[in-house]
Amino acid sequence: MTTLDRAKAWFEQDPDEVTRAELAALIPAAEAGDAAAMDALRDRFDTRLTFGTAGLRGELGAGSNRMNRVLVSQAAAGFARWLLDRDENASVVIGYDGRVNSDVFARDSAELMAGAGVRVVLLPRPLPTPVLAFAVRHLGMSAGIMVTASHNPPRDNGYKVYLGGRDGGSQIVAPADEQIHAAILAVADTAVVGELPRASSFDVADESIVDAYVEATAALVPDDGTAREAVPFVYTALHGVGWEVSKRVFAAAGLGEPTVVAEQVEPDGAFPTVAFPNPEEPGAMDLAFETANRAGAALIIAHDPDADRLAVAVPDAGEPSGWRRLSGNEVGGLLGWRAAERLHRSETHAKLAASLVSSPALSAVAAAYGLSYSDTLTGFKWISRVGGLAYGFEEALGYLVNPGTVRDKDGISASVDFLALVGELTAAGRTLDDHQRDFDERFGAFASAQVSLRVTDLSRIGAIMAALRDAPPAEIGGVRVSQVDDFIGGFGVFPPGDILRFWMLDGSRVIVRPSGTEPKVKVYIDASSDEGSVDERRAVAAARVAALESGMRALIV
């Protein structure tokens, strides 16, 4: 079948007027010899979004290489078949955020999966991803679907899957992704979307599911007599769905009500005030900084649009804005220390875990407390599956502080834990900076940096990784490489992955991998020092990271 044939077949089964209009313009133009129109059709139809362990994610638009109602309908029907092959009594809970078409994709999925014979519960309105992850476990469902592209650009949307039962509510891992993808392709090859069975009757969850999440999350701050002061803070949802639920959780936990960034507090799929709705991106938190300066806040709490990530900013007179965003590694280390202290007080032995690209700081905390520790592959689909887990994090602003209720990163629960920490420090007459110095004194000073190379030509990613494999650098930034670990065929306990890890003679570490969700090559640099004063330790670690960052930029940029 030619590209034009595929486009015409897609057009015939597309129920969406917007994407039909795209094809109605492109198809006749391509037939008339318009090269640009033909290129646009090839980009849309000569490949297909692959259903992987992160589900589906891509730009909205017509075609098999875009997110749209045809593709999502095929995915829902294929996933339903896969679930029913495993369990004839299969059930699924479906959630969605505030992005463009998230509600449409969620309802299509509910109708098609119910029509296929799966018991369906649809969440009542746009809600954070952590509420959906909670619902899979709380309702005892076979699976969960969340329609979201998280912190991706405004024109993207996505579709990710959780499994209940023996998977405990975690996101899927191999080989389930390949099996589901095969089931989706079988639907796409043999069925027309308009002829797939649908059912308009399915369950819509009531407020009790949100109430249960609020109660479970607020319980992270126990009423145990610990002195704690409410800290004045600013909150931004970055045009996402975090505010309504976060507000309720903050109040229930006794953390007070923040000053909100009014321009960003309501869901808006156009994300009008930010180029990228990701708190890690430059400029994304500028309105929060301005709001905090006006309000005289002591802290800023920011969620990404589906509220599964947390960013924290603290006052810093040395920054032009007056604020500094803490890195995910900094927040992850402090919350990990807090988790270790909880385990120590309760005399509970459990495990801490972090993705292998995250700071080694958490392993140092675990060693100091005699706790088990695991590195995992990147993503909470792996972190959440660590047996006996008490706490896990990844440097990309993801934290899991309550694995008993949610098996995924949760920006709301992490916010609660961090606000409680700052409140306890304030009541004791101490600051977050004091606490970080205590951390560096006890466990060593850790420094990190990232180099991200965004590409428009995806072939560059493979070329960069191949070049580093074919001719590994003998030194980076003037520091000799002592060992190279290549994960392409598996490494140790890790399954195969497109990851390269370089160990330096001074113990520093550089990891290179393609992003799993964006067209980027990502470099993670970590160094530490436990000799001398805190200031001396910090200086040594920072200098090591700076040299390695400069060296890696020269290699790949």
Side-chain angles (χ1 to χ4, degrees):
M1 186 179 287
T2 68
T3 299
L4 274 170
D5 290 337
R6 286 193 291 271
K8 290 176 182 178
W10 195 277
F11 177 83
E12 290 301 321
Q13 63 177 327
D14 192 345
D16 190 309
E17 291 184 3
V18 173
T19 46
R20 282 177 63 86
E22 294 175 11
L23 295 180
L26 287 171
I27 290 172
E31 287 180 316
D34 186 323
M38 194 67 232
D39 287 344
L41 288 178
R42 290 192 183 101
D43 182 52
R44 292 163 182 262
F45 288 101
D46 283 4
T47 187
R48 182 184 181 91
L49 290 180
T50 300
F51 191 98
T53 55
L56 295 166
R57 193 173 294 191
E59 183 182 352
L60 292 167
S64 56
N65 196 34
R66 299 287 190 274
M67 286 295 296
N68 52 68
R69 292 186 66 186
V70 174
L71 188 90
V72 167
S73 295
Q74 293 168 344
F79 185 41
R81 291 183 184 181
W82 184 83
L83 283 175
L84 290 167
D85 283 345
R86 287 163 47 108
D87 179 3
E88 64 181 11
N89 298 311
S91 57
V92 65
V93 56
I94 301 173
Y96 56 99
D97 68 5
R99 283 180 176 265
V100 175
N101 276 1
S102 287
D103 57 340
V104 177
F105 295 161
R107 182 159 289 276
D108 277 343
S109 296
E111 292 177 356
L112 286 160
M113 297 192 80
V118 177
R119 182 169 72 86
V120 174
V121 176
L122 180 67
L123 293 186
R125 60 182 180 283
L127 287 165
T129 292
V131 176
L132 181 280
F134 171 81
V136 175
R137 291 172 61 83
H138 184 73
L139 298 176
M141 307 300 279
S142 305
I145 295 170
M146 184 66 194
V147 183
T148 179
S150 191
H151 58 289
N152 271 40
R155 284 292 301 164
D156 287 4
N157 212 326
Y159 196 87
K160 65 179 181 178
V161 168
Y162 299 79
L163 293 179
R166 63 178 179 269
D167 291 276
S170 295
Q171 290 186 60
I172 59 170
V173 295
D177 58 328
E178 296 170 357
Q179 296 166 356
I180 296 168
H181 184 64
I184 293 168
L185 290 180
V187 170
D189 290 342
T190 61
V192 174
V193 165
E195 297 173 1
L196 291 168
R198 286 179 178 257
S200 58
S201 177
F202 48 82
D203 293 333
V204 177
D206 59 23
E207 284 302 301
S208 64
I209 188 67
V210 182
D211 295 342
Y213 173 83
V214 169
E215 180 181 0
T217 306
L220 285 166
V221 185
D223 186 12
D224 59 0
T226 301
R228 189 179 296 112
E229 290 186 16
V231 176
F233 68 103
V234 158
Y235 173 83
T236 178
L238 286 184
H239 301 295
V241 294
W243 170 234
E244 178 205 355
V245 176
S246 295
K247 177 182 179 180
R248 290 185 57 190
V249 172
F250 296 154
L255 298 170
E257 183 168 338
T259 300
V260 299
V261 180
E263 301 93 331
Q264 298 175 335
V265 76
E266 297 297 332
D268 186 340
F271 304 100
T273 68
V274 293
F276 291 93
N278 178 353
E280 290 183 293
E281 292 285 345
M285 293 183 65
D286 285 355
L287 283 175
F289 297 157
E290 294 171 10
T291 303
N293 286 332
R294 290 195 301 269
L299 199 69
I300 296 173
I301 295 291
H303 289 149
D304 68 340
D306 66 330
D308 65 349
R309 286 175 168 83
L310 162 68
V312 176
V314 296
D316 188 333
E319 294 289 332
S321 66
W323 291 84
R324 180 177 72 88
R325 182 182 64 79
L326 301 182
S327 71
N329 283 326
E330 289 174 298
V331 174
L334 292 175
L335 289 179
W337 187 12
R338 186 170 174 80
E341 273 292 313
R342 276 197 295 263
L343 293 170
H344 178 70
R345 289 195 300 270
S346 64
E347 298 183 347
T348 301
H349 187 84
K351 186 171 284 189
L352 308 182
S355 63
L356 60 86
V357 299
S358 300
S359 170
L362 189 62
S363 64
V365 171
Y369 281 84
L371 299 170
S372 300
Y373 172 80
S374 286
D375 278 325
T376 75
L377 290 178
T378 304
F380 274 83
K381 58 184 173 284
W382 299 109
I383 295 171
S384 66
R385 292 171 182 271
V386 171
L389 183 69
Y391 170 78
F393 93 98
E394 64 179 5
E395 48 71 40
L397 308 185
Y399 318 96
L400 176 49
V401 300
N402 55 344
T405 54
V406 175
R407 292 291 177 90
D408 196 8
K409 56 185 175 292
D410 181 349
I412 300 174
S413 62
S415 302
V416 167
D417 211 21
F418 201 88
L419 286 165
L421 166 63
V422 176
E424 290 162 18
L425 291 171
T426 302
R430 296 178 59 75
T431 67
L432 198 56
D433 185 60
D434 295 332
H435 195 57
Q436 184 65 64
R437 292 186 71 85
D438 289 344
F439 184 102
D440 295 351
E441 177 66 37
R442 181 166 183 181
F443 307 111
F446 292 81
S448 302
Q450 270 194 41
V451 178
S452 290
L453 177 63
R454 184 180 290 271
V455 301
T456 53
D457 179 359
L458 293 179
S459 66
R460 283 199 64 199
I461 294 176
I464 290 169
M465 296 301 296
L468 290 173
R469 282 195 171 90
D470 294 343
E475 64 175 33
I476 301 173
V479 183
R480 179 159 292 280
V481 175
S482 62
Q483 180 177 320
V484 180
D485 300 332
D486 190 348
F487 289 66
I488 197 68
F491 184 83
V493 300
F494 297 106
D498 194 3
I499 301 167
L500 287 168
R501 181 169 60 187
F502 301 91
W503 293 102
M504 308 296 122
L505 277 177
D506 61 8
S508 304
R509 184 189 73 188
V510 175
I511 297 176
V512 187
R513 73 173 184 93
S515 170
T517 57
E518 298 177 273
K520 291 181 177 179
V521 174
K522 303 187 80 171
V523 180
Y524 307 83
I525 301 165
D526 288 281
S528 64
S529 175
D530 59 3
E531 296 182 357
S533 68
V534 166
D535 289 337
E536 290 169 338
R537 294 177 178 191
R538 290 179 173 180
V540 169
R544 289 173 175 171
V545 163
L548 293 171
E549 180 178 359
S550 176
M552 286 307 300
R553 288 188 182 279
L555 280 173
I556 72 165
V557 175

